[in-house]
Amino acid sequence: MATFNVSVADPESGETHRIEIEDQDANRFVGREIGDEVDGSAVGLDGYTVEITGGSDHTGRPMRPDVNGPNLKEVLLEGGIGYEPERDGERKRVTVRGKEVSDDITQLNVSIADRGDESVASLLGLEGEEEDEGEANDEDEA
C-alpha cells in the first residue's frame, strides 16, 4: 500500500500544510503525473482541486517533469530540478525519478488549483491552533 507525505501549497495565503495520507486516498495519486489535477478530498480538502507539482522518493531523489515514467533515470543536467551547477556551462549526470507517481514516492508536492467554499484551515482542522499556541506560551511564562 502507498503512503505519502503531501505538502499542500496554498498560493492565496502563501502557506504550506503537511498531510500524511495512505491506502485509498494515496492510491488516487498513483499513476498520475506532474501537472495532473486530483480531487482535493484525497488530502482532506472537499470541494477543492489540487495539482501535482513534484515530489521525491525515500532517498530524496526529485521527480522531474521532463523524464517519462516512474523509474529512476540517469540524465545529464545543466541545471534545474535535482542539480544546481557551481559555474556556467557545468553539467553533471544525476539520478532522478520520472514524472509519474508510484509507490516509491514518499513525498508529494501539490498546489491548490481550484478553491472550494470553505477555508483550507477549517477543512484541515487548523482553526484555533494559533490561539492555543499563544495561550500555551502565556502559561509557560507565568
Side-chain angles (χ1 to χ4, degrees), residues 17-60:
H17 306 283
R18 186 178 161 275
I19 301 159
E20 187 171 325
I21 61 170
E22 56 189 7
D23 301 330
Q24 186 177 9
D25 290 333
N27 287 335
R28 293 183 191 181
F29 288 97
V30 174
R32 302 289 181 105
E33 295 180 346
I34 293 177
D36 287 352
E37 293 187 353
V38 180
D39 184 31
S41 62
V43 291
L45 297 174
D46 295 328
Y48 281 64
T49 302
V50 295
E51 178 184 354
I52 300 172
T53 57
S56 60
D57 64 8
H58 66 283
T59 60

Side-chain angles (χ1 to χ4, degrees), residues 67-141:
V67 177
N68 291 324
N71 299 324
L72 291 174
K73 301 233 167 88
E74 285 192 11
V75 293
L76 187 62
L77 299 178
E78 295 178 347
I81 300 169
Y83 176 60
E84 189 66 37
E86 294 179 10
R87 14 177 240 276
D88 288 342
E90 185 176 15
R91 299 185 308 173
K92 185 176 181 181
R93 189 162 304 279
V94 179
T95 304
V96 294
R97 286 250 168 225
K99 63 182 174 182
E100 186 178 324
V101 177
S102 68
D103 289 341
D104 296 325
I105 300 298
T106 56
Q107 178 189 345
L108 269 177
N109 303 326
V110 301
S111 178
I112 296 174
D114 258 344
R115 303 191 80 73
D117 296 332
E118 293 185 56
S119 71
V120 174
S122 66
L123 288 172
L124 297 178
L126 302 174
E127 286 185 343
E129 276 190 11
E130 292 176 7
E131 295 171 10
D132 292 343
E133 289 176 8
E135 291 174 8
N137 289 339
D138 294 339
E139 291 173 7
D140 292 339
E141 292 174 4

